[in-house]
mmCIF file of all heavy atoms in Angstrom:
data_model
loop_
_atom_site.group_PDB
_atom_site.id
_atom_site.type_symbol
_atom_site.label_atom_id
_atom_site.label_comp_id
_atom_site.label_asym_id
_atom_site.label_seq_id
_atom_site.Cartn_x
_atom_site.Cartn_y
_atom_site.Cartn_z
ATOM 1 N N VAL A 261 33.858 75.967 -250.930
ATOM 2 C CA VAL A 261 35.119 75.491 -251.224
ATOM 3 C C VAL A 261 36.128 76.095 -250.241
ATOM 4 O O VAL A 261 36.018 77.236 -249.890
ATOM 5 C CB VAL A 261 35.503 75.911 -252.697
ATOM 6 C CG1 VAL A 261 36.853 75.461 -253.096
ATOM 7 C CG2 VAL A 261 34.424 75.524 -253.597
ATOM 8 N N VAL A 264 43.788 75.841 -247.838
ATOM 9 C CA VAL A 264 44.771 76.338 -246.871
ATOM 10 C C VAL A 264 45.745 77.118 -247.631
ATOM 11 O O VAL A 264 46.456 76.561 -248.604
ATOM 12 C CB VAL A 264 45.391 75.240 -246.098
ATOM 13 C CG1 VAL A 264 46.535 75.906 -245.145
ATOM 14 C CG2 VAL A 264 44.315 74.497 -245.219
ATOM 15 N N GLY A 279 40.515 96.052 -253.803
ATOM 16 C CA GLY A 279 39.488 95.791 -254.861
ATOM 17 C C GLY A 279 40.079 95.853 -256.270
ATOM 18 O O GLY A 279 39.474 95.226 -257.162
ATOM 19 N N VAL A 292 37.937 95.522 -263.514
ATOM 20 C CA VAL A 292 37.387 96.336 -262.441
ATOM 21 C C VAL A 292 37.449 97.785 -262.930
ATOM 22 O O VAL A 292 38.542 98.297 -263.346
ATOM 23 C CB VAL A 292 38.418 96.168 -261.198
ATOM 24 C CG1 VAL A 292 37.918 97.198 -260.121
ATOM 25 C CG2 VAL A 292 38.230 94.821 -260.758
ATOM 26 N N ASP A 294 35.895 100.557 -261.150
ATOM 27 C CA ASP A 294 36.253 101.539 -260.003
ATOM 28 C C ASP A 294 35.979 100.785 -258.817
ATOM 29 O O ASP A 294 35.324 99.727 -258.760
ATOM 30 C CB ASP A 294 35.162 102.570 -260.234
ATOM 31 C CG ASP A 294 35.442 103.902 -259.489
ATOM 32 O OD1 ASP A 294 36.699 104.016 -259.024
ATOM 33 O OD2 ASP A 294 34.488 104.716 -259.054
ATOM 34 N N SER A 316 30.238 90.852 -272.104
ATOM 35 C CA SER A 316 30.453 91.127 -270.561
ATOM 36 C C SER A 316 29.241 92.076 -270.184
ATOM 37 O O SER A 316 28.853 92.894 -270.794
ATOM 38 C CB SER A 316 31.856 91.734 -270.446
ATOM 39 O OG SER A 316 32.078 92.906 -271.073
ATOM 40 N N LEU A 317 29.053 91.924 -268.708
ATOM 41 C CA LEU A 317 28.043 92.789 -268.215
ATOM 42 C C LEU A 317 28.683 93.640 -267.090
ATOM 43 O O LEU A 317 29.619 93.346 -266.379
ATOM 44 C CB LEU A 317 26.952 91.827 -267.513
ATOM 45 C CG LEU A 317 26.217 90.805 -268.344
ATOM 46 C CD1 LEU A 317 25.507 89.899 -267.510
ATOM 47 C CD2 LEU A 317 25.356 91.595 -269.328
ATOM 48 N N PRO A 328 37.666 92.366 -240.730
ATOM 49 C CA PRO A 328 39.153 92.122 -240.938
ATOM 50 C C PRO A 328 39.812 91.509 -239.744
ATOM 51 O O PRO A 328 39.562 91.924 -238.661
ATOM 52 C CB PRO A 328 39.750 93.378 -241.301
ATOM 53 C CG PRO A 328 38.445 94.283 -241.624
ATOM 54 C CD PRO A 328 37.297 93.851 -240.863
ATOM 55 N N LEU A 338 25.258 90.710 -261.076
ATOM 56 C CA LEU A 338 25.555 90.286 -262.384
ATOM 57 C C LEU A 338 24.220 90.397 -263.186
ATOM 58 O O LEU A 338 23.854 89.515 -263.740
ATOM 59 C CB LEU A 338 26.133 88.940 -262.573
ATOM 60 C CG LEU A 338 26.813 88.636 -263.841
ATOM 61 C CD1 LEU A 338 27.840 89.601 -264.370
ATOM 62 C CD2 LEU A 338 27.390 87.172 -263.899
ATOM 63 N N ALA A 344 24.572 87.070 -256.333
ATOM 64 C CA ALA A 344 24.928 86.049 -255.342
ATOM 65 C C ALA A 344 25.415 86.649 -254.057
ATOM 66 O O ALA A 344 25.929 87.809 -254.152
ATOM 67 C CB ALA A 344 26.007 85.222 -255.917
ATOM 68 N N GLY A 356 51.420 80.740 -239.584
ATOM 69 C CA GLY A 356 51.491 81.517 -240.758
ATOM 70 C C GLY A 356 50.599 81.016 -241.855
ATOM 71 O O GLY A 356 50.796 81.400 -242.984
ATOM 72 N N ALA A 367 21.209 84.619 -254.852
ATOM 73 C CA ALA A 367 20.314 85.325 -253.979
ATOM 74 C C ALA A 367 19.123 86.014 -254.626
ATOM 75 O O ALA A 367 18.067 86.122 -254.040
ATOM 76 C CB ALA A 367 20.986 86.445 -253.126
ATOM 77 N N ARG A 386 34.713 76.785 -260.377
ATOM 78 C CA ARG A 386 35.042 78.145 -260.544
ATOM 79 C C ARG A 386 35.721 78.628 -259.129
ATOM 80 O O ARG A 386 36.701 79.411 -259.211
ATOM 81 C CB ARG A 386 33.782 78.959 -260.850
ATOM 82 C CG ARG A 386 33.965 80.460 -260.789
ATOM 83 C CD ARG A 386 32.622 81.152 -261.065
ATOM 84 N NE ARG A 386 32.936 82.574 -260.789
ATOM 85 C CZ ARG A 386 32.627 83.352 -259.618
ATOM 86 N NH1 ARG A 386 32.240 82.617 -258.608
ATOM 87 N NH2 ARG A 386 32.798 84.580 -259.600
ATOM 88 N N LEU A 391 40.165 80.430 -255.467
ATOM 89 C CA LEU A 391 40.983 80.394 -254.253
ATOM 90 C C LEU A 391 42.484 79.891 -254.699
ATOM 91 O O LEU A 391 43.445 80.420 -254.004
ATOM 92 C CB LEU A 391 40.472 79.189 -253.406
ATOM 93 C CG LEU A 391 39.260 79.674 -252.585
ATOM 94 C CD1 LEU A 391 38.869 78.462 -251.741
ATOM 95 C CD2 LEU A 391 39.275 80.905 -251.941
ATOM 96 N N ASN A 392 42.670 79.254 -255.819
ATOM 97 C CA ASN A 392 44.019 78.937 -256.251
ATOM 98 C C ASN A 392 44.668 80.355 -256.665
ATOM 99 O O ASN A 392 45.954 80.569 -256.402
ATOM 100 C CB ASN A 392 44.091 78.107 -257.387
ATOM 101 C CG ASN A 392 43.694 76.540 -257.080
ATOM 102 O OD1 ASN A 392 44.000 76.163 -255.806
ATOM 103 N ND2 ASN A 392 43.290 75.826 -257.976
#
Side-chain angles (χ1 to χ4, degrees):
V261 179
V264 174
V292 174
D294 193 22
S316 59
L317 303 171
L338 192 57
R386 172 186 171 267
L391 289 182
N392 287 338

